[in-house]
Amino acid sequence: MGEYQKLNASGALRGDEHQTRIIQKLQDLHDKLIDYNPPKIPELTQSNSLLSRLFTRNVQLPTCPPKNAPNGLYLYGDVGTGKTMLMDLFYKTLPGSITRKRRVHFHAFMIDVHKRVHAAKIAMGFNGGDPILPVARDLANEACVLCFDEFQVTDIADAMILRRLLESMVNFGVVCVMTSNRHPDDLYKNGIQRSSFVPAIELIKSHFEVTDLDSGTGWSSDDYRRIPRALSHVYYDPLTAENAREIDKVFRALTSADPVIHNRTLNTWGRTITIPESTSEIAKFSFDELCGQPLSAADYLEVTKKFGTIFVLDVPKMGLDSKDKARRFITFIDACYESHTKLFVTSEVPIHRVFSDDGSKPVSDHMRSVMDDLGLSGEVVGSSSMFTGEEEVFAFARACSRLVEMGSREWSRH
């Protein structure tokens, strides 16, 4: 609460009653954590997989959360409602007694979880076993307070893991704070085998205080995505010789003090990604080099973690015939956003319209609703009939929102 009052006094936030109530919820959880003593988590022997399985059977595993564990918080709201700012504020001011803590973007967290599950399966060998339990135990040992930013569930692999992972972590005494764009009831909506994920939704609703951030008006530090500000000169369109020369001048200026290496390789998940041109901190790709091959979210995250500035040249206007490339480009944009990457782009049309139709097809009610939720104008980003499923539509609209933000002067100053 003290840090919040400082932000208010400095003018970084505009206080209102709703905002103060949300801050008070975070303060209440903070106060409960001061005296929270997480239970000891049974250790697994790692001498070999057979002993591990025998040991796991004999260990008394918790079947419900510890009585002294405070409920977590689930904060949801639209883009620009200050979710990330709240998360950072809470994490920054956690009591000194909480030494095991972690703050992570949910996308990066799930990549880490999939790697751990894969390693657990290998360790268990042909006899198999439950890989989720040791992963949950390891995560609980590493952090008794876990802060997730942008919690979302978009595919069945994540949904099936999360159902058991969340339950196990909560039973081990992990206190979670999550931010999301969606109410728990709307998570993984219309997903395959969603009924198997419903217990996770019920767990969130019963063991987390679910709080809507959309009723207030005061998040001035984060509401720039709703009203796009003047763009810094990082996006160039259309694809002309003049724009090609301009972007080349920018690239040469930024790399003048660091030699450019051609076809540098980056290893990720046992695969090799070729970086056509790069210095130690800057990379350059053509659109086809970046999105014309089957790269995953994990691959793009590795690229954006390695290079703080990325140039992408010759981005075309995309239609149904390039839907796979469009999906990869959206995944790449998400990775850039999560890694705070500075992006320079040349494109056939304004970059935030590369997915849009020519206007001959009507905008669906769902598309219009999602764009309204994200504070996007149809005049700014257009609309797309390429994306039809609910999660696809949301990913498209969010990518457009992020492209607008990443082209702002504020982003260039990060």
PDB file of all heavy atoms in Angstrom, residues 164-192:
ATOM      1  N   ARG A 164      -3.668 -31.000 -13.092  1.00  0.00           N
ATOM      2  CA  ARG A 164      -3.025 -31.689 -11.976  1.00  0.00           C
ATOM      3  C   ARG A 164      -1.912 -30.871 -11.354  1.00  0.00           C
ATOM      4  O   ARG A 164      -1.658 -30.935 -10.165  1.00  0.00           O
ATOM      5  CB  ARG A 164      -2.470 -33.034 -12.454  1.00  0.00           C
ATOM      6  CG  ARG A 164      -3.575 -33.953 -12.943  1.00  0.00           C
ATOM      7  CD  ARG A 164      -3.346 -35.399 -12.576  1.00  0.00           C
ATOM      8  NE  ARG A 164      -2.775 -35.576 -11.261  1.00  0.00           N
ATOM      9  CZ  ARG A 164      -1.596 -36.150 -11.022  1.00  0.00           C
ATOM     10  NH1 ARG A 164      -0.883 -36.611 -12.015  1.00  0.00           N
ATOM     11  NH2 ARG A 164      -1.145 -36.282  -9.803  1.00  0.00           N
ATOM     12  N   LEU A 165      -1.217 -30.074 -12.177  1.00  0.00           N
ATOM     13  CA  LEU A 165      -0.100 -29.289 -11.670  1.00  0.00           C
ATOM     14  C   LEU A 165      -0.574 -28.248 -10.657  1.00  0.00           C
ATOM     15  O   LEU A 165       0.001 -28.119  -9.572  1.00  0.00           O
ATOM     16  CB  LEU A 165       0.618 -28.602 -12.833  1.00  0.00           C
ATOM     17  CG  LEU A 165       1.895 -27.846 -12.476  1.00  0.00           C
ATOM     18  CD1 LEU A 165       2.995 -28.808 -12.055  1.00  0.00           C
ATOM     19  CD2 LEU A 165       2.357 -26.998 -13.655  1.00  0.00           C
ATOM     20  N   LEU A 166      -1.624 -27.510 -10.984  1.00  0.00           N
ATOM     21  CA  LEU A 166      -2.135 -26.494 -10.069  1.00  0.00           C
ATOM     22  C   LEU A 166      -2.597 -27.117  -8.760  1.00  0.00           C
ATOM     23  O   LEU A 166      -2.306 -26.622  -7.670  1.00  0.00           O
ATOM     24  CB  LEU A 166      -3.287 -25.726 -10.718  1.00  0.00           C
ATOM     25  CG  LEU A 166      -2.913 -24.674 -11.765  1.00  0.00           C
ATOM     26  CD1 LEU A 166      -4.168 -24.065 -12.370  1.00  0.00           C
ATOM     27  CD2 LEU A 166      -2.045 -23.586 -11.160  1.00  0.00           C
ATOM     28  N   GLU A 167      -3.330 -28.217  -8.873  1.00  0.00           N
ATOM     29  CA  GLU A 167      -3.829 -28.891  -7.671  1.00  0.00           C
ATOM     30  C   GLU A 167      -2.676 -29.338  -6.778  1.00  0.00           C
ATOM     31  O   GLU A 167      -2.704 -29.133  -5.557  1.00  0.00           O
ATOM     32  CB  GLU A 167      -4.695 -30.089  -8.060  1.00  0.00           C
ATOM     33  CG  GLU A 167      -5.264 -30.836  -6.865  1.00  0.00           C
ATOM     34  CD  GLU A 167      -6.089 -32.042  -7.280  1.00  0.00           C
ATOM     35  OE1 GLU A 167      -5.880 -32.557  -8.401  1.00  0.00           O
ATOM     36  OE2 GLU A 167      -6.928 -32.463  -6.485  1.00  0.00           O
ATOM     37  N   SER A 168      -1.645 -29.944  -7.381  1.00  0.00           N
ATOM     38  CA  SER A 168      -0.512 -30.435  -6.598  1.00  0.00           C
ATOM     39  C   SER A 168       0.247 -29.289  -5.949  1.00  0.00           C
ATOM     40  O   SER A 168       0.626 -29.366  -4.770  1.00  0.00           O
ATOM     41  CB  SER A 168       0.431 -31.252  -7.485  1.00  0.00           C
ATOM     42  OG  SER A 168      -0.222 -32.413  -7.983  1.00  0.00           O
ATOM     43  N   MET A 169       0.482 -28.207  -6.694  1.00  0.00           N
ATOM     44  CA  MET A 169       1.229 -27.077  -6.132  1.00  0.00           C
ATOM     45  C   MET A 169       0.466 -26.424  -4.979  1.00  0.00           C
ATOM     46  O   MET A 169       1.056 -26.097  -3.943  1.00  0.00           O
ATOM     47  CB  MET A 169       1.530 -26.046  -7.224  1.00  0.00           C
ATOM     48  CG  MET A 169       2.583 -26.499  -8.215  1.00  0.00           C
ATOM     49  SD  MET A 169       3.274 -25.137  -9.204  1.00  0.00           S
ATOM     50  CE  MET A 169       1.807 -24.459  -9.957  1.00  0.00           C
ATOM     51  N   VAL A 170      -0.838 -26.250  -5.147  1.00  0.00           N
ATOM     52  CA  VAL A 170      -1.642 -25.663  -4.073  1.00  0.00           C
ATOM     53  C   VAL A 170      -1.621 -26.570  -2.846  1.00  0.00           C
ATOM     54  O   VAL A 170      -1.505 -26.110  -1.706  1.00  0.00           O
ATOM     55  CB  VAL A 170      -3.084 -25.405  -4.561  1.00  0.00           C
ATOM     56  CG1 VAL A 170      -4.005 -25.071  -3.394  1.00  0.00           C
ATOM     57  CG2 VAL A 170      -3.098 -24.265  -5.573  1.00  0.00           C
ATOM     58  N   ASN A 171      -1.706 -27.889  -3.054  1.00  0.00           N
ATOM     59  CA  ASN A 171      -1.658 -28.830  -1.928  1.00  0.00           C
ATOM     60  C   ASN A 171      -0.299 -28.844  -1.239  1.00  0.00           C
ATOM     61  O   ASN A 171      -0.205 -29.138  -0.044  1.00  0.00           O
ATOM     62  CB  ASN A 171      -2.017 -30.242  -2.404  1.00  0.00           C
ATOM     63  CG  ASN A 171      -3.492 -30.377  -2.742  1.00  0.00           C
ATOM     64  OD1 ASN A 171      -4.294 -29.494  -2.437  1.00  0.00           O
ATOM     65  ND2 ASN A 171      -3.852 -31.476  -3.395  1.00  0.00           N
ATOM     66  N   PHE A 172       0.755 -28.514  -1.980  1.00  0.00           N
ATOM     67  CA  PHE A 172       2.087 -28.406  -1.385  1.00  0.00           C
ATOM     68  C   PHE A 172       2.296 -27.065  -0.685  1.00  0.00           C
ATOM     69  O   PHE A 172       3.373 -26.808  -0.153  1.00  0.00           O
ATOM     70  CB  PHE A 172       3.171 -28.600  -2.448  1.00  0.00           C
ATOM     71  CG  PHE A 172       3.398 -30.034  -2.840  1.00  0.00           C
ATOM     72  CD1 PHE A 172       3.494 -30.394  -4.176  1.00  0.00           C
ATOM     73  CD2 PHE A 172       3.519 -31.029  -1.886  1.00  0.00           C
ATOM     74  CE1 PHE A 172       3.715 -31.705  -4.552  1.00  0.00           C
ATOM     75  CE2 PHE A 172       3.742 -32.348  -2.253  1.00  0.00           C
ATOM     76  CZ  PHE A 172       3.832 -32.690  -3.586  1.00  0.00           C
ATOM     77  N   GLY A 173       1.284 -26.217  -0.704  1.00  0.00           N
ATOM     78  CA  GLY A 173       1.366 -24.958   0.026  1.00  0.00           C
ATOM     79  C   GLY A 173       1.843 -23.765  -0.771  1.00  0.00           C
ATOM     80  O   GLY A 173       2.159 -22.718  -0.201  1.00  0.00           O
ATOM     81  N   VAL A 174       1.903 -23.892  -2.097  1.00  0.00           N
ATOM     82  CA  VAL A 174       2.307 -22.761  -2.933  1.00  0.00           C
ATOM     83  C   VAL A 174       1.152 -21.760  -3.014  1.00  0.00           C
ATOM     84  O   VAL A 174       0.012 -22.136  -3.291  1.00  0.00           O
ATOM     85  CB  VAL A 174       2.698 -23.223  -4.350  1.00  0.00           C
ATOM     86  CG1 VAL A 174       3.058 -22.023  -5.225  1.00  0.00           C
ATOM     87  CG2 VAL A 174       3.862 -24.201  -4.288  1.00  0.00           C
ATOM     88  N   VAL A 175       1.451 -20.496  -2.761  1.00  0.00           N
ATOM     89  CA  VAL A 175       0.462 -19.424  -2.881  1.00  0.00           C
ATOM     90  C   VAL A 175       0.703 -18.723  -4.216  1.00  0.00           C
ATOM     91  O   VAL A 175       1.804 -18.240  -4.477  1.00  0.00           O
ATOM     92  CB  VAL A 175       0.586 -18.414  -1.716  1.00  0.00           C
ATOM     93  CG1 VAL A 175      -0.419 -17.279  -1.882  1.00  0.00           C
ATOM     94  CG2 VAL A 175       0.385 -19.126  -0.379  1.00  0.00           C
ATOM     95  N   CYS A 176      -0.322 -18.696  -5.052  1.00  0.00           N
ATOM     96  CA  CYS A 176      -0.172 -18.137  -6.399  1.00  0.00           C
ATOM     97  C   CYS A 176      -0.950 -16.833  -6.545  1.00  0.00           C
ATOM     98  O   CYS A 176      -2.049 -16.690  -6.014  1.00  0.00           O
ATOM     99  CB  CYS A 176      -0.682 -19.131  -7.450  1.00  0.00           C
ATOM    100  SG  CYS A 176       0.230 -20.690  -7.517  1.00  0.00           S
ATOM    101  N   VAL A 177      -0.355 -15.911  -7.263  1.00  0.00           N
ATOM    102  CA  VAL A 177      -1.050 -14.709  -7.716  1.00  0.00           C
ATOM    103  C   VAL A 177      -0.997 -14.722  -9.234  1.00  0.00           C
ATOM    104  O   VAL A 177       0.077 -14.865  -9.820  1.00  0.00           O
ATOM    105  CB  VAL A 177      -0.398 -13.432  -7.163  1.00  0.00           C
ATOM    106  CG1 VAL A 177      -1.100 -12.190  -7.696  1.00  0.00           C
ATOM    107  CG2 VAL A 177      -0.436 -13.438  -5.643  1.00  0.00           C
ATOM    108  N   MET A 178      -2.155 -14.619  -9.884  1.00  0.00           N
ATOM    109  CA  MET A 178      -2.227 -14.706 -11.337  1.00  0.00           C
ATOM    110  C   MET A 178      -2.886 -13.467 -11.918  1.00  0.00           C
ATOM    111  O   MET A 178      -3.809 -12.917 -11.327  1.00  0.00           O
ATOM    112  CB  MET A 178      -3.054 -15.923 -11.770  1.00  0.00           C
ATOM    113  CG  MET A 178      -2.601 -17.246 -11.239  1.00  0.00           C
ATOM    114  SD  MET A 178      -3.729 -18.551 -11.821  1.00  0.00           S
ATOM    115  CE  MET A 178      -3.041 -19.985 -11.009  1.00  0.00           C
ATOM    116  N   THR A 179      -2.414 -13.051 -13.087  1.00  0.00           N
ATOM    117  CA  THR A 179      -3.149 -12.066 -13.866  1.00  0.00           C
ATOM    118  C   THR A 179      -3.608 -12.732 -15.153  1.00  0.00           C
ATOM    119  O   THR A 179      -2.952 -13.638 -15.669  1.00  0.00           O
ATOM    120  CB  THR A 179      -2.290 -10.835 -14.216  1.00  0.00           C
ATOM    121  OG1 THR A 179      -1.296 -11.209 -15.176  1.00  0.00           O
ATOM    122  CG2 THR A 179      -1.619 -10.255 -12.976  1.00  0.00           C
ATOM    123  N   SER A 180      -4.723 -12.285 -15.672  1.00  0.00           N
ATOM    124  CA  SER A 180      -5.273 -12.875 -16.890  1.00  0.00           C
ATOM    125  C   SER A 180      -6.191 -11.873 -17.575  1.00  0.00           C
ATOM    126  O   SER A 180      -6.680 -10.926 -16.947  1.00  0.00           O
ATOM    127  CB  SER A 180      -6.052 -14.159 -16.565  1.00  0.00           C
ATOM    128  OG  SER A 180      -6.600 -14.733 -17.746  1.00  0.00           O
ATOM    129  N   ASN A 181      -6.409 -12.079 -18.854  1.00  0.00           N
ATOM    130  CA  ASN A 181      -7.393 -11.274 -19.578  1.00  0.00           C
ATOM    131  C   ASN A 181      -8.806 -11.825 -19.418  1.00  0.00           C
ATOM    132  O   ASN A 181      -9.759 -11.193 -19.870  1.00  0.00           O
ATOM    133  CB  ASN A 181      -7.045 -11.239 -21.074  1.00  0.00           C
ATOM    134  CG  ASN A 181      -5.766 -10.483 -21.353  1.00  0.00           C
ATOM    135  OD1 ASN A 181      -5.612  -9.348 -20.927  1.00  0.00           O
ATOM    136  ND2 ASN A 181      -4.837 -11.118 -22.048  1.00  0.00           N
ATOM    137  N   ARG A 182      -8.936 -13.003 -18.807  1.00  0.00           N
ATOM    138  CA  ARG A 182     -10.229 -13.689 -18.796  1.00  0.00           C
ATOM    139  C   ARG A 182     -10.639 -14.121 -17.398  1.00  0.00           C
ATOM    140  O   ARG A 182      -9.806 -14.487 -16.575  1.00  0.00           O
ATOM    141  CB  ARG A 182     -10.159 -14.928 -19.696  1.00  0.00           C
ATOM    142  CG  ARG A 182      -9.952 -14.573 -21.159  1.00  0.00           C
ATOM    143  CD  ARG A 182      -9.607 -15.796 -21.979  1.00  0.00           C
ATOM    144  NE  ARG A 182      -9.462 -15.409 -23.371  1.00  0.00           N
ATOM    145  CZ  ARG A 182     -10.328 -15.710 -24.329  1.00  0.00           C
ATOM    146  NH1 ARG A 182     -11.389 -16.424 -24.043  1.00  0.00           N
ATOM    147  NH2 ARG A 182     -10.142 -15.307 -25.553  1.00  0.00           N
ATOM    148  N   HIS A 183     -11.942 -14.130 -17.175  1.00  0.00           N
ATOM    149  CA  HIS A 183     -12.501 -14.736 -15.964  1.00  0.00           C
ATOM    150  C   HIS A 183     -12.201 -16.230 -16.013  1.00  0.00           C
ATOM    151  O   HIS A 183     -12.143 -16.820 -17.112  1.00  0.00           O
ATOM    152  CB  HIS A 183     -14.014 -14.490 -15.920  1.00  0.00           C
ATOM    153  CG  HIS A 183     -14.661 -14.945 -14.651  1.00  0.00           C
ATOM    154  ND1 HIS A 183     -14.980 -16.272 -14.425  1.00  0.00           N
ATOM    155  CD2 HIS A 183     -15.038 -14.259 -13.542  1.00  0.00           C
ATOM    156  CE1 HIS A 183     -15.536 -16.379 -13.220  1.00  0.00           C
ATOM    157  NE2 HIS A 183     -15.584 -15.181 -12.671  1.00  0.00           N
ATOM    158  N   PRO A 184     -12.003 -16.887 -14.875  1.00  0.00           N
ATOM    159  CA  PRO A 184     -11.725 -18.331 -14.902  1.00  0.00           C
ATOM    160  C   PRO A 184     -12.725 -19.135 -15.725  1.00  0.00           C
ATOM    161  O   PRO A 184     -12.341 -20.091 -16.416  1.00  0.00           O
ATOM    162  CB  PRO A 184     -11.781 -18.722 -13.419  1.00  0.00           C
ATOM    163  CG  PRO A 184     -11.372 -17.489 -12.697  1.00  0.00           C
ATOM    164  CD  PRO A 184     -11.925 -16.340 -13.497  1.00  0.00           C
ATOM    165  N   ASP A 185     -14.003 -18.765 -15.685  1.00  0.00           N
ATOM    166  CA  ASP A 185     -15.015 -19.518 -16.441  1.00  0.00           C
ATOM    167  C   ASP A 185     -14.792 -19.455 -17.948  1.00  0.00           C
ATOM    168  O   ASP A 185     -15.319 -20.282 -18.697  1.00  0.00           O
ATOM    169  CB  ASP A 185     -16.416 -18.998 -16.118  1.00  0.00           C
ATOM    170  CG  ASP A 185     -16.885 -19.431 -14.736  1.00  0.00           C
ATOM    171  OD1 ASP A 185     -16.398 -20.465 -14.243  1.00  0.00           O
ATOM    172  OD2 ASP A 185     -17.723 -18.734 -14.149  1.00  0.00           O
ATOM    173  N   ASP A 186     -14.024 -18.454 -18.409  1.00  0.00           N
ATOM    174  CA  ASP A 186     -13.786 -18.296 -19.846  1.00  0.00           C
ATOM    175  C   ASP A 186     -12.460 -18.888 -20.300  1.00  0.00           C
ATOM    176  O   ASP A 186     -12.124 -18.798 -21.485  1.00  0.00           O
ATOM    177  CB  ASP A 186     -13.829 -16.811 -20.214  1.00  0.00           C
ATOM    178  CG  ASP A 186     -15.213 -16.215 -20.036  1.00  0.00           C
ATOM    179  OD1 ASP A 186     -16.202 -16.955 -20.202  1.00  0.00           O
ATOM    180  OD2 ASP A 186     -15.309 -15.014 -19.710  1.00  0.00           O
ATOM    181  N   LEU A 187     -11.701 -19.480 -19.383  1.00  0.00           N
ATOM    182  CA  LEU A 187     -10.433 -20.093 -19.759  1.00  0.00           C
ATOM    183  C   LEU A 187     -10.668 -21.339 -20.610  1.00  0.00           C
ATOM    184  O   LEU A 187     -11.565 -22.139 -20.339  1.00  0.00           O
ATOM    185  CB  LEU A 187      -9.634 -20.485 -18.514  1.00  0.00           C
ATOM    186  CG  LEU A 187      -9.085 -19.346 -17.655  1.00  0.00           C
ATOM    187  CD1 LEU A 187      -8.554 -19.905 -16.333  1.00  0.00           C
ATOM    188  CD2 LEU A 187      -7.978 -18.590 -18.393  1.00  0.00           C
ATOM    189  N   TYR A 188      -9.849 -21.496 -21.646  1.00  0.00           N
ATOM    190  CA  TYR A 188      -9.899 -22.670 -22.530  1.00  0.00           C
ATOM    191  C   TYR A 188     -11.315 -22.901 -23.057  1.00  0.00           C
ATOM    192  O   TYR A 188     -11.757 -24.038 -23.222  1.00  0.00           O
ATOM    193  CB  TYR A 188      -9.385 -23.898 -21.780  1.00  0.00           C
ATOM    194  CG  TYR A 188      -9.003 -25.071 -22.672  1.00  0.00           C
ATOM    195  CD1 TYR A 188      -8.209 -24.888 -23.801  1.00  0.00           C
ATOM    196  CD2 TYR A 188      -9.425 -26.357 -22.370  1.00  0.00           C
ATOM    197  CE1 TYR A 188      -7.867 -25.959 -24.606  1.00  0.00           C
ATOM    198  CE2 TYR A 188      -9.077 -27.443 -23.172  1.00  0.00           C
ATOM    199  CZ  TYR A 188      -8.298 -27.233 -24.288  1.00  0.00           C
ATOM    200  OH  TYR A 188      -7.961 -28.305 -25.088  1.00  0.00           O
ATOM    201  N   LYS A 189     -12.028 -21.810 -23.322  1.00  0.00           N
ATOM    202  CA  LYS A 189     -13.412 -21.912 -23.775  1.00  0.00           C
ATOM    203  C   LYS A 189     -13.451 -22.589 -25.142  1.00  0.00           C
ATOM    204  O   LYS A 189     -12.695 -22.242 -26.044  1.00  0.00           O
ATOM    205  CB  LYS A 189     -14.036 -20.519 -23.855  1.00  0.00           C
ATOM    206  CG  LYS A 189     -15.538 -20.512 -23.763  1.00  0.00           C
ATOM    207  CD  LYS A 189     -16.044 -19.106 -23.496  1.00  0.00           C
ATOM    208  CE  LYS A 189     -17.544 -19.112 -23.261  1.00  0.00           C
ATOM    209  NZ  LYS A 189     -18.031 -17.750 -22.973  1.00  0.00           N
ATOM    210  N   ASN A 190     -14.339 -23.542 -25.302  1.00  0.00           N
ATOM    211  CA  ASN A 190     -14.498 -24.319 -26.537  1.00  0.00           C
ATOM    212  C   ASN A 190     -13.267 -25.160 -26.885  1.00  0.00           C
ATOM    213  O   ASN A 190     -13.128 -25.614 -28.014  1.00  0.00           O
ATOM    214  CB  ASN A 190     -14.836 -23.403 -27.730  1.00  0.00           C
ATOM    215  CG  ASN A 190     -16.094 -22.606 -27.499  1.00  0.00           C
ATOM    216  OD1 ASN A 190     -17.074 -23.127 -26.960  1.00  0.00           O
ATOM    217  ND2 ASN A 190     -16.080 -21.335 -27.881  1.00  0.00           N
ATOM    218  N   GLY A 191     -12.367 -25.360 -25.904  1.00  0.00           N
ATOM    219  CA  GLY A 191     -11.182 -26.174 -26.151  1.00  0.00           C
ATOM    220  C   GLY A 191     -11.521 -27.658 -26.203  1.00  0.00           C
ATOM    221  O   GLY A 191     -12.557 -28.119 -25.697  1.00  0.00           O
ATOM    222  N   ILE A 192     -10.628 -28.417 -26.825  1.00  0.00           N
ATOM    223  CA  ILE A 192     -10.814 -29.867 -26.928  1.00  0.00           C
ATOM    224  C   ILE A 192     -10.764 -30.490 -25.527  1.00  0.00           C
ATOM    225  O   ILE A 192      -9.899 -30.171 -24.728  1.00  0.00           O
ATOM    226  CB  ILE A 192      -9.705 -30.481 -27.819  1.00  0.00           C
ATOM    227  CG1 ILE A 192      -9.787 -29.890 -29.233  1.00  0.00           C
ATOM    228  CG2 ILE A 192      -9.821 -31.997 -27.868  1.00  0.00           C
ATOM    229  CD1 ILE A 192      -8.611 -30.282 -30.108  1.00  0.00           C
TER     230      ILE A 192
END
